[in-house]
Amino acid sequence: MRRTLLLFTLFATTALAQQPNDAVSRYVKYDSTKNVIWLDHVRIIDGTGSPAIEDASVVLLGSKIAAIVHHAEVDAQGHGRGEGWSCQDCGTAIHLDLTGHTLFPGLVGMHDHMYYIARPNLDAEGYSEPPLMVPEMAFSSPHLYLGAGVTTLRTTGSVEPYTDLNLKQQIEAGTIPGPHMDVTGPYLEGPHSPFLQMHQLKDAADAKATVDFWAAQGVTSFKAYMNITRAELKAAIDEAHKLGFKLTGHLCSVTYPEAAELGIDNLEHGFFVNTQLDPNKQPDLCPRTAGAPTLANMTAGSAEAQALIALLVAHHVALTSTLPVFESMDPAHHHLQNRVLDTMTTTSREAYLNMRNLELTRAAGASNEPPRPGAQIDRAKSFRNGMALEREFVAAGGLLLAGPDPTGDGGVLPGYGDQREVELLVDAGFTPLEAIHIATQNGATYLNRADKIGTIAVGKNADLVLVKGDPSKNINDIENTEIIFKDGIGYDSQKLLDSTKGRYGQY
């Protein structure tokens, strides 16, 4: 066995040494670090929420945006006259006529995992054997994210933090294609977790020590999970802040008002997992209803909603919208795409379709299974209420972030799910320009990187998404990705996406 492993290691090392850059170069279409690139006659959605700019040119030089000019300010030799820009000393420049195309900032995914949840022996009735497993998708996830236009992401909870840290290092070194990564530490979880791979905190001292250890390993943010206690959460928040990091949470045992008072920076899943109005909610315990009654009863515009939103805004708590993972609550939103099915392995596709059919049966009231906690609640109405609460939060001055929570549940996949989140924000009532702003500049602001990414402006990183069509009028055009620029390197979107076909759920 040791000899076999040694031979495999030698073979793999030799193969890597022979083709050190092929894993990236095969997907590269343009490179502004080698040639000046003019993106001509392109529509710009700059990410600020401002109206789109028609018929412009964007000049990429090195890893930055060197100039933005209107087409009328470019002479026959390609010399820009806008903003004092001149390209006379740029050498050979590449000009791309992008009439009919739109450029917008790279998406900043704020709830983007690298793993897939696997349920052993899952059947058509939704039953599986323990334990839940969480295999890492270290190949398909970064390819899907980058190919779909996500140039920066936060892992928002890790089950293999060393894998994520090493993946980040290799992406930044240019040996693997993928987005910039804010690596979140392992879940800060209490007892009774269904996930075998999660550490279960013993007490507040353990929470503090866990934050200290993983900060030293190189993670750059933290996430609390459903069974953490208030004392453990407070210890983790205080230690993270002392070290200069932020902490978010998918909570249940701790309510939103409690978390805000404790100093949390961010809450995941919008208003869908707040438990403050759940009947018989006990301190530090996650009720079986997991927030469903609170979502159903805390309607947009109600006194309870207004009080909570005012508290969150006053404490500068950001919310992350993850509408794709909840849209199956509403039969009108049972979104099914061939590209998602084509990306899954046969096994993961079968599991997804079984769960999807079960959701449809439940929604129609035709299921023979025993009633679940909160089953009497109108889930479709609750989903729409969750959307309305997110609009109300933004209207009150709250910072709303965007991410899909891609775990395979509900067919939410990396990258594709990020695009779907933006589409659902529009369904929720935001304009396309507002939705793109939430998914770009807001994420950059939260990550303290708005000076480098999140909007299209001279001097910022050339992290850009080029699509065919006009998402400012038809938000679904964000799916028509052609070239994804990250640090000035233009990746062929379709090649990245094609490389994952039939692989998600495998590696």
Side-chain angles (χ1 to χ4, degrees):
M1 179 65 182
R2 292 178 64 183
R3 181 175 181 273
T4 301
L5 182 61
L6 177 61
L7 288 173
F8 174 79
T9 303
L10 290 172
F11 173 79
T13 304
T14 302
L16 184 62
Q18 290 173 346
Q19 295 180 318
N21 298 314
D22 185 56
V24 174
S25 63
R26 68 175 64 190
Y27 302 108
V28 174
K29 199 168 185 177
Y30 301 103
D31 188 345
S32 68
T33 66
K34 297 177 181 178
N35 296 96
V36 177
I37 299 176
W38 282 73
L39 307 177
D40 291 328
H41 302 292
V42 72
R43 178 183 301 103
I44 299 174
I45 298 174
D46 68 6
T48 66
S50 300
I53 303 168
E54 300 292 339
D55 196 21
S57 289
V58 177
V59 185
L60 308 184
L61 176 61
S63 62
K64 304 293 183 182
I65 299 170
I68 301 171
V69 296
H70 291 286
H71 182 62
E73 298 173 328
V74 180
D75 66 23
Q77 287 73 44
H79 301 152
R81 295 193 295 271
E83 301 184 12
W85 167 259
S86 174
C87 200
Q88 294 178 2
D89 300 322
C90 292
T92 304
I94 297 173
H95 281 260
L96 303 178
D97 185 344
L98 298 174
T99 303
H101 290 72
T102 301
L103 196 70
F104 59 87
L107 298 176
V108 182
M110 294 300 291
H111 197 125
D112 287 10
H113 298 305
M114 288 290 174
Y115 59 72
Y116 172 84
I117 296 177
R119 296 169 172 82
N121 296 326
L122 178 69
D123 64 22
E125 299 301 318
Y127 298 106
S128 63
E129 295 184 51
L132 289 177
M133 297 302 297
V134 191
E136 191 88 351
M137 300 290 108
F139 173 85
S140 56
S141 286
H143 282 227
L144 283 165
Y145 282 126
L146 189 59
V150 180
T151 54
T152 299
L153 62 78
R154 178 181 64 179
T155 57
T156 322
S158 175
V159 292
E160 290 189 23
Y162 282 125
T163 302
D164 290 349
L165 286 168
N166 291 334
L167 183 63
K168 174 182 178 177
Q169 187 276 326
Q170 292 197 34
I171 290 172
E172 297 301 329
T175 57
I176 293 176
H180 296 293
M181 292 173 60
D182 169 31
V183 177
T184 305
Y187 286 84
L188 298 167
E189 171 68 312
H192 313 301
S193 174
F195 294 100
L196 190 67
Q197 289 147 283
M198 290 187 187
H199 170 65
Q200 298 185 18
L201 297 172
K202 301 179 184 66
D203 50 31
D206 191 11
K208 176 181 180 299
T210 301
V211 169
D212 284 336
F213 177 83
W214 285 104
Q217 304 308 303
V219 307
T220 44
S221 63
F222 292 90
K223 178 183 177 181
Y225 206 42
M226 297 175 68
N227 295 291
I228 195 169
T229 67
R230 288 167 297 172
E232 291 162 350
L233 179 58
K234 176 62 173 172
I237 291 170
D238 288 349
E239 194 64 14
H241 288 175
K242 187 177 80 173
L243 297 171
F245 300 127
K246 293 182 178 180
L247 188 147
T248 190
H250 170 179
L251 301 179
C252 182
S253 53
V254 180
T255 67
Y256 280 22
E258 290 170 338
E261 296 289 356
L262 292 173
I264 202 165
D265 301 287
N266 187 190
L267 291 165
E268 299 304 307
H269 304 301
F271 291 88
F272 284 80
V273 295
N274 180 24
T275 56
Q276 73 180 90
L277 300 182
D278 282 26
N280 303 313
K281 170 69 176 74
Q282 300 298 312
D284 297 328
L285 294 177
C286 176
R288 292 184 65 205
T289 46
T294 298
L295 180 64
N297 293 307
M298 187 182 285
T299 55
S302 67
E304 294 87 353
Q306 291 177 347
L308 174 59
I309 288 171
L311 178 68
L312 296 177
V313 172
H315 284 75
H316 306 289
V317 180
L319 287 183
T320 308
S321 171
T322 62
L323 295 173
V325 81
F326 296 111
E327 69 172 316
S328 62
M329 294 172 67
D330 185 355
H333 283 86
H334 271 273
H335 195 64
L336 186 63
Q337 289 189 316
N338 287 333
R339 64 178 188 168
V340 169
L341 298 179
D342 291 344
T343 303
M344 295 176 169
T345 63
T346 301
T347 302
S348 59
R349 181 168 58 247
E350 180 182 1
Y352 160 55
L353 291 175
N354 280 341
M355 294 303 292
R356 182 177 185 274
N357 290 337
L358 190 60
E359 286 284 350
L360 288 169
T361 301
R362 288 170 176 166
S367 175
N368 293 322
E369 66 180 355
R372 297 172 299 143
Q376 74 281 3
I377 290 171
D378 185 334
R379 299 175 76 239
K381 184 177 179 181
S382 289
F383 178 70
R384 293 190 292 272
N385 184 50
M387 286 178 154
L389 287 167
E390 291 181 7
R391 290 199 312 273
E392 191 171 322
F393 175 72
V394 172
L399 182 66
L400 188 67
L401 315 175
D405 192 14
T407 63
D409 186 16
V412 183
L413 266 60
Y416 294 149
D418 293 85
Q419 294 173 349
R420 183 62 181 156
E421 163 66 17
V422 181
E423 294 168 354
L424 287 171
L425 286 171
V426 175
D427 283 356
F430 295 102
T431 69
L433 294 171
E434 289 170 339
I436 291 172
H437 166 70
I438 291 167
T440 56
Q441 187 177 24
N442 279 8
T445 298
Y446 180 87
L447 293 174
N448 298 320
R449 298 198 63 205
D451 60 330
K452 296 181 175 64
I453 63 170
T455 57
I456 297 179
V458 173
K460 288 200 172 183
N461 282 22
D463 289 4
L464 306 164
V465 181
L466 181 72
V467 299
K468 186 175 182 179
D470 184 1
S472 71
K473 293 184 172 64
N474 177 17
I475 195 58
N476 298 103
D477 283 348
I478 63 169
E479 297 181 8
N480 303 332
T481 51
E482 294 190 0
I483 305 172
I484 312 300
F485 287 95
K486 193 192 92 172
D487 295 331
I489 297 176
Y491 293 87
D492 187 314
S493 169
Q494 199 58 52
K495 283 187 177 180
L496 282 166
L497 299 174
D498 285 346
S499 71
T500 68
K501 284 188 174 180
R503 302 305 182 200
Y504 189 74
Q506 181 184 10
Y507 50 68

